[in-house]
Amino acid sequence: MRNSKTVLIDKNPGRNSQTFGIARELGTDVDLIHEPSVGVVGNKGDSQCYIGVSSKVEKIHEILKNRIGTDPEKLSMRLVQPEFTIATSDGIRNGTKEMRYSLIGREVTNDSMCEHLSASGLEGVIAVVACDKPPVGTLAAVLEHNRPAIIMSDGSIRPGKDSKTGEPIDIISSYQIAGNPDEEFKKRIALEACPGFGSCGGMFTYNTMQTFIGVVGMQPLHMVSPASQDSRRLDEFPQQLVEFLEKMIEKNITPRDIVTRESIRNAIIVSMAVGGSTNVMLHAPEIARAAGYKNFSQDIMSSEEFNHLSKNVVPVIVDARPFGKYSMVDIDTKGGVQVIVKNLLEAGLLNGDTMTCTGETLSEQIKRLSPPNPDNKVIYSVSSPYKPTGGLRVLGGNLSPEYSSILKLAGVEGGLENNVFKGQAKIFDGEQALLDTLDKRPEVFENFDMIVVRYEGPVGGPGMPEMLDSTSRITTLCREKNIVVALMTDGRFSGGSVGLVIGHVGPEAAVGGPIALIEEGDQIIVDLNKNEINCVELENKNTYDERMKDWHRKVNENNGIHPAVGNADTRLLHKMRYSAVSAVFGAGMHPERKIFVTDPREGVKSSFTPQNKFRT
């Protein structure tokens, strides 16, 4: 008996011819070509982070293929070919001009994934994600597409081992010896630091965001912590993922049913509790935007509440790299991320009623997984934490009127007296100038310097490169000389950075933010009692106005662009420069956004209009 699909086949032989061809090549039933589509996607790029992705994608694809068919017990859907997104590697590119493409990689992943999901009309997708930025771009795209979807981390790389000391080492170990004069030593550590494959193994940005994605509900919690080379990722998880996706399709559970205000708040709280990367405050607003929340501070969590929770409510409950000792592999050995979530749920810090991709609420998923109690060596309990306060703090003040600046308090190794740092500004227009000085004249840095690296924001970089190379060298310098050197920037940091480092200072220098007006030797005060970062000299209105007038003169003399901004020498960098929004909105490519800041002198909201060379 002929049905409506047969009529479609008769009427559209041109379109159907390739669809028939794909079905034959993939080995699926040609009678399913007009059923809803389902498929697998993965992240790929030039690093060890991505090497394990293909094998997982192939395995999941194989299981999906075996589940598809016309029999009643089968999944009646059209299978599409696996697709992969492109990304760079932060670890390889840090300290180079290529690092400008790192955050842009999140946007490229979002765009390419959006094209694939929408143009293919996918009604169900499983995504295998790796490295730092592609997972967030992938999640943003599936939220925008809003059809049943589930994410699996490809997993961390296992730690290396120092052959001389026997100590575990990782990529951060390599960065922290970059200034060592012993070339053979540096080569040995580099060779030993990253064995096997997988994404960075500490509680850096990758594992911060994988934990975030698990807690927000889009990844099964027990799939977060195992290493990339863990056999479960090929032998057990693919079958479970397909079963979970089938349940989502059957019940029509979509990403926006899962990623809600409450689940995002849960994920932020867990990010504090694991001492997570500062990059979470770039990625959380972007994820919230894709889920339909336009203003993170108003719709999800204000800076005041964020700081209250981090200071007074949420402790750090893991001893993890870079501020501690252990890796995600060690966390997995002690029961995984689900141990952390269980403990926070029992302490009343999370909402257990949020939906997850397993078809269960967060509490139901934890109950089924039945994780052990904290071991109090790697994972600590809320009642007896590793550190008493949360790992992150958002700062305002006259240098950060957008309240975008972020400090990883869990990684601070000194310099705060009664929660206050006072230092003298040492100015660098661009990270390369800082790296050159650290390499050739490290002796110029003195106790209580506040290094200011500017014109590295979303517009200025362009692309807001992170500064793992710089921060690692500064950390080593401080430890060797027993001094405190802080750093602030309108760029950003790796999750592996430690020290008194403040990123995302906004508005950025390239659009005339106050960070552009700091001069050498100015007094900078970081006050964590007030959660502010201030330049004393800019408190004087005349000084502020004169410096701003001088800044505009330089911009006007240089055809509307400050001469210190980075080169936008490709179409992609140019696109970022013209469309990037402030860090407080996620630093993505969203030209429809207006930038609003609080005037530090007047205390009123005003439209902050960048020069026309950058945006219209």
Side-chain angles (χ1 to χ4, degrees), residues 154-415:
D154 176 63
S156 300
I157 192 170
R158 291 181 171 126
K161 185 177 181 180
D162 187 324
S163 59
K164 296 289 180 68
T165 67
E167 290 293 313
I169 55 176
D170 57 24
I171 190 170
I172 304 303
S173 310
S174 300
Y175 270 102
Q176 289 180 346
I177 61 166
N180 193 296
D182 187 339
E183 294 300 326
E184 285 301 314
F185 170 65
K186 289 192 287 189
K187 182 177 180 180
R188 178 175 67 79
I189 294 298
L191 284 167
E192 295 172 354
C194 295
F197 55 80
S199 298
C200 288
M203 194 53 72
F204 314 147
T205 305
Y206 171 72
N207 279 314
T208 299
M209 293 316 301
Q210 290 312 310
T211 302
F212 188 105
I213 293 169
V215 174
V216 86
M218 287 301 295
Q219 175 169 205
L221 287 170
H222 67 291
M223 297 185 187
V224 175
S225 60
S228 177
Q229 293 180 279
D230 191 300
S231 60
R232 288 172 289 177
R233 291 204 176 276
L234 285 173
D235 297 340
E236 299 176 21
F237 295 170
Q239 181 66 46
Q240 295 170 10
L241 287 165
V242 172
E243 291 171 359
F244 290 142
L245 183 64
E246 283 191 70
K247 187 183 297 185
M248 292 181 73
I249 293 170
E250 179 186 347
K251 296 183 177 181
N252 194 29
I253 299 172
T254 67
R256 288 194 179 194
D257 295 326
I258 294 169
V259 183
T260 63
R261 176 182 183 272
E262 292 304 317
S263 70
I264 296 172
R265 287 170 61 84
N266 281 346
I268 289 289
I269 288 169
V270 175
S271 298
M272 294 177 185
V274 298
S277 166
T278 54
N279 283 305
V280 74
M281 290 310 288
L282 286 180
H283 298 323
E286 172 62 11
I287 290 167
R289 176 205 62 79
Y293 301 97
K294 300 303 183 184
N295 190 307
F296 184 86
S297 180
Q298 293 177 11
D299 299 333
I300 307 296
M301 185 180 290
S302 68
S303 58
E304 292 83 3
E305 184 182 11
F306 183 98
N307 287 332
H308 167 72
L309 289 170
S310 187
K311 181 179 180 181
N312 303 309
V313 180
V314 184
V316 176
I317 58 174
V318 293
D319 177 3
R321 295 273 286 159
F323 54 85
K325 182 177 180 181
Y326 298 102
S327 70
M328 186 59 95
V329 173
D330 299 308
I331 290 172
D332 185 61
T333 301
K334 300 303 180 182
V337 168
Q338 55 268 38
V339 176
I340 298 167
V341 176
K342 175 189 175 185
N343 195 242
L344 291 167
L345 276 169
E346 289 175 345
L349 297 179
L350 302 179
N351 183 336
D353 296 331
T354 56
M355 178 57 63
T356 74
C357 61
T358 66
E360 306 157 302
T361 65
L362 185 64
S363 291
E364 290 168 344
Q365 189 181 165
I366 289 294
K367 184 177 180 180
R368 174 176 56 80
L369 292 173
S370 188
N373 292 322
D375 67 301
N376 290 314
K377 180 181 178 183
V378 178
I379 305 172
Y380 289 71
S381 66
V382 172
S383 59
S384 182
Y386 178 67
K387 291 191 175 188
T389 59
L392 299 168
R393 200 70 65 84
V394 172
L395 306 178
N398 70 12
L399 291 177
S400 183
E402 288 186 330
Y403 279 83
S404 58
S405 299
I406 181 81
L407 167 68
K408 186 172 182 175
L409 191 57
V412 174
E413 297 185 345

Side-chain angles (χ1 to χ4, degrees), residues 289-583:
R289 176 205 62 79
Y293 301 97
K294 300 303 183 184
N295 190 307
F296 184 86
S297 180
Q298 293 177 11
D299 299 333
I300 307 296
M301 185 180 290
S302 68
S303 58
E304 292 83 3
E305 184 182 11
F306 183 98
N307 287 332
H308 167 72
L309 289 170
S310 187
K311 181 179 180 181
N312 303 309
V313 180
V314 184
V316 176
I317 58 174
V318 293
D319 177 3
R321 295 273 286 159
F323 54 85
K325 182 177 180 181
Y326 298 102
S327 70
M328 186 59 95
V329 173
D330 299 308
I331 290 172
D332 185 61
T333 301
K334 300 303 180 182
V337 168
Q338 55 268 38
V339 176
I340 298 167
V341 176
K342 175 189 175 185
N343 195 242
L344 291 167
L345 276 169
E346 289 175 345
L349 297 179
L350 302 179
N351 183 336
D353 296 331
T354 56
M355 178 57 63
T356 74
C357 61
T358 66
E360 306 157 302
T361 65
L362 185 64
S363 291
E364 290 168 344
Q365 189 181 165
I366 289 294
K367 184 177 180 180
R368 174 176 56 80
L369 292 173
S370 188
N373 292 322
D375 67 301
N376 290 314
K377 180 181 178 183
V378 178
I379 305 172
Y380 289 71
S381 66
V382 172
S383 59
S384 182
Y386 178 67
K387 291 191 175 188
T389 59
L392 299 168
R393 200 70 65 84
V394 172
L395 306 178
N398 70 12
L399 291 177
S400 183
E402 288 186 330
Y403 279 83
S404 58
S405 299
I406 181 81
L407 167 68
K408 186 172 182 175
L409 191 57
V412 174
E413 297 185 345
L416 293 171
E417 184 174 343
N418 298 322
N419 286 322
V420 176
F421 169 88
K422 294 182 180 180
Q424 55 279 346
K426 194 173 289 291
I427 307 295
F428 296 91
D429 287 344
E431 186 194 17
Q432 193 57 55
L434 171 60
L435 284 171
D436 289 344
T437 304
L438 285 166
D439 191 40
K440 299 171 184 175
R441 297 184 297 120
E443 69 279 358
V444 304
F445 295 99
E446 300 175 347
N447 199 24
F448 292 104
D449 275 345
M450 170 60 86
I451 295 172
V452 179
V453 181
R454 58 195 183 191
Y455 297 102
E456 293 286 17
V459 170
M464 206 180 189
E466 72 180 29
M467 301 180 188
L468 178 59
D469 197 351
S470 300
T471 58
S472 298
R473 291 172 188 254
I474 291 167
T475 296
T476 301
L477 181 72
C478 289
R479 290 172 180 173
E480 288 176 348
K481 297 177 67 173
N482 194 29
I483 62 174
V484 174
V485 175
L487 190 156
M488 61 176 286
T489 180
D490 51 11
R492 60 190 181 86
F493 300 117
S494 164
S497 295
V498 292
L500 211 166
V501 293
I502 299 168
H504 314 180
V505 176
E508 62 176 291
V511 298
I515 189 174
L517 309 183
I518 305 173
E519 293 185 357
E520 192 82 9
D522 281 358
Q523 186 177 21
I524 308 298
I525 299 176
V526 181
D527 188 338
L528 298 187
N529 300 306
K530 298 179 180 179
N531 293 314
E532 291 183 352
I533 178 169
N534 291 293
C535 174
V536 173
E537 285 72 13
L538 293 182
E539 292 173 0
N540 183 292
K541 185 180 185 301
N542 290 334
T543 300
Y544 186 101
D545 290 343
E546 283 299 315
R547 291 185 184 183
M548 181 61 80
K549 182 179 178 181
D550 185 60
W551 184 87
H552 277 292
R553 178 186 59 77
K554 293 176 182 177
V555 167
N556 293 333
E557 289 174 354
N558 197 51
N559 196 30
I561 302 176
H562 194 279
V565 303
N567 291 327
D569 46 11
T570 67
R571 177 176 178 268
L572 191 54
L573 292 175
H574 195 68
K575 181 180 177 183
M576 182 70 177
R577 171 153 292 163
Y578 271 81
S579 62
V581 296
S582 168

